Amino acid sequence: MAGARALLRLCPLLLPQDRHGTAYEGFVTAQGRDFHIRILLPADLQLKNARIECSWRLKRILHGYQHILKQRLHSCPDLVSFMVELKTVLEIALKNTQDLHIPRPPEYYSCLVRDLETLGWNRVAYVDTGLTTVKLKAEDSCGRQHLITLKLNAKYPTEPPGCLVDFPVPFAVSWMPQNSLIDIYNQFLAALESLKEFWDALDEIDGKTWVLEPENPTRSATTRRIAIGNNVSVNIEVDPRHPNMLPECYFLGADHEVNPLRTKLNSNMHLWDPEISLLQNLRELLEIDFPSRVVLEKSDFARDCGICYAHRLHGSVPDRVCDDPRCGQPFHQACLYEWLQGLPTSRQSFNVIFGECPYCSK
């Protein structure tokens, strides 16, 4: 309910079309203009599997930003967060679309080239032919490579360029008319170092466990679904500003498998030590050692969905398991929801549906 109110405050013209909150239609407003949009969410409300439909005007404006929006769909925890990101990108896109028709004075080009030369061409990853888009590259203290995309308007350097980064937190630039690209670059480097511990924690998890989702995580992704054993996994949500604190944990698997893990987490929560790594803390609290991908590939973990007979569906792996220990068949949540909805014996309470397992009928 709180999320619905927040969405209404942010986008008062975007309204839900069903009681499940899986379809929204209306308008998103930017720079005093309204753009028609329709958002369709799957039954499990996972943003990464959402479908966005919009007017041809909005599609044309956002044409060069599709990969950024796709990243945000995968990394944003809820629809409100994504709409904040969408409006930010739309503001930048509109500003740059308008600037395309404004002739740039000679001073613009001389200033930009001077700034790039002062910054160093070795830090420039890309410049478009119109000298309106610049991508700068940087390496953090751990050797990770990062990019920042700058969209410059005709009034540069009086007005700052729009900045797009692959960060899990907003990146706001402090700008004065006398500033240059070097100032943005230095702020970019400072932001990279502020996120160092967050990326260190997730890099250790990516390197030492089997991460089921996301398959190819971006630097802005704050969640990891980690394999624990046969059809048992834990989904963690790491706070990028406090990466050494206990993350939100959600266990997936049959009840008889995950209930002991929940009990251990609750019993050992007081043992969390922010001085050791996130992965080591999880090992000690759950009293397990996360198996590597090599070990689990030999097991029966990566079984296909018992309904669609595929392992990955729209990028997701099976995340629901029959609670009967003798069955344990995994299913995609979306497949299971659709299957149970079609059974006359199933019953539904709010957005949860109960019914027989398609495999063992329990």
Side-chain angles (χ1 to χ4, degrees), residues 96 99-100 104 108-109 112 127-134 150-153 161:
N96 290 319
D99 288 338
L100 289 176
R104 285 161 164 71
Y108 166 89
Y109 297 103
L112 177 58
V127 181
D128 71 336
T129 54
L131 295 182
T132 59
T133 301
V134 177
L150 308 177
K151 299 282 187 177
L152 297 103
N153 61 52

Side-chain angles (χ1 to χ4, degrees), residues 143 179 259:
N179 288 150
N259 284 341

Side-chain angles (χ1 to χ4, degrees), residues 82-100:
F82 173 70
M83 291 308 297
V84 171
E85 297 277 2
L86 175 61
K87 291 189 75 167
T88 301
V89 172
L90 182 54
E91 291 280 352
I92 293 172
L94 280 171
K95 200 171 184 181
N96 290 319
T97 302
Q98 294 165 2
D99 288 338
L100 289 176

Side-chain angles (χ1 to χ4, degrees), residues 85-348:
E85 297 277 2
L86 175 61
K87 291 189 75 167
T88 301
V89 172
L90 182 54
E91 291 280 352
I92 293 172
L94 280 171
K95 200 171 184 181
N96 290 319
T97 302
Q98 294 165 2
D99 288 338
L100 289 176
H101 307 290
I102 302 174
R104 285 161 164 71
E107 294 80 14
Y108 166 89
Y109 297 103
S110 59
C111 178
L112 177 58
V113 171
R114 184 177 65 248
D115 282 358
L116 290 173
E117 287 181 342
T118 305
L119 181 64
W121 290 100
N122 59 316
R123 294 172 174 172
V124 179
Y126 169 83
V127 181
D128 71 336
T129 54
L131 295 182
T132 59
T133 301
V134 177
K135 291 184 180 181
L136 304 177
K137 56 186 177 181
E139 189 177 279
D140 63 26
S141 57
C142 290
R144 290 179 286 252
Q145 298 294 322
H146 304 270
L147 285 176
I148 179 171
T149 302
L150 308 177
K151 299 282 187 177
L152 297 103
N153 61 52
K155 295 181 180 179
Y156 176 83
T158 306
E159 293 184 3
C163 301
L164 298 169
V165 292
D166 189 10
F167 282 3
V169 294
F171 177 63
V173 171
S174 175
W175 184 266
M176 299 289 286
Q178 64 269 25
N179 288 150
S180 68
L181 295 186
I182 300 169
D183 298 290
I184 291 182
Y185 192 78
N186 289 333
Q187 291 176 54
F188 179 54
L189 292 177
L192 292 180
E193 289 311 302
S194 71
L195 292 166
K196 174 185 177 299
E197 290 185 355
F198 168 74
W199 286 322
D200 285 347
L202 291 186
D203 281 354
E204 184 183 18
I205 287 171
D206 292 340
K208 295 182 178 179
T209 69
W210 183 6
V211 174
L212 301 172
E213 295 178 286
E215 196 172 7
N216 298 298
T218 61
R219 288 295 177 193
S220 60
T222 58
T223 61
R224 293 293 190 274
R225 184 179 166 204
I226 310 170
I228 295 177
N230 287 356
N231 296 306
V232 183
S233 59
V234 60
N235 196 79
I236 64 168
E237 174 82 32
V238 183
D239 184 346
R241 300 191 188 279
H242 306 284
N244 292 326
M245 303 306 291
L246 176 64
E248 289 186 33
C249 298
Y250 175 64
F251 294 97
L252 299 130
D255 285 346
H256 69 279
E257 295 276 7
V258 302
N259 284 341
L261 293 170
R262 290 195 189 104
T263 302
K264 286 179 183 177
L265 180 64
N266 293 330
S267 301
N268 297 332
M269 202 175 290
H270 66 283
L271 299 176
W272 187 272
D273 183 1
E275 297 301 317
I276 63 176
S277 75
L278 186 150
L279 180 58
Q280 186 59 34
N281 268 307
L282 288 175
R283 285 174 178 150
E284 294 185 5
L285 263 65
L286 298 176
E287 300 174 10
I288 60 172
D289 192 11
F290 292 97
S292 69
R293 188 182 183 96
V294 175
V295 172
L296 279 182
E297 277 183 334
K298 297 174 184 176
S299 73
D300 200 26
F301 188 89
R303 288 163 64 187
D304 295 338
C305 170
I307 295 173
C308 72
Y309 301 109
H311 185 58
R312 288 199 175 270
L313 178 69
H314 305 304
S316 297
V317 298
D319 57 357
R320 290 294 179 270
V321 181
C322 176
D323 286 331
D324 191 317
R326 292 167 297 180
C327 177
Q329 174 64 43
F331 306 94
H332 295 115
Q333 180 171 294
C335 294
L336 192 59
Y337 190 85
E338 187 175 344
W339 174 280
L340 294 176
Q341 274 190 319
L343 294 180
T345 55
S346 298
R347 60 185 178 86
Q348 187 161 350

Side-chain angles (χ1 to χ4, degrees), residues 33 54-65 97:
R33 297 166 62 184
C54 58
S55 62
W56 67 268
R57 274 197 313 149
L58 182 57
K59 190 176 291 187
R60 189 176 62 181
I61 291 168
L62 295 175
H63 177 69
Y65 302 84
T97 302

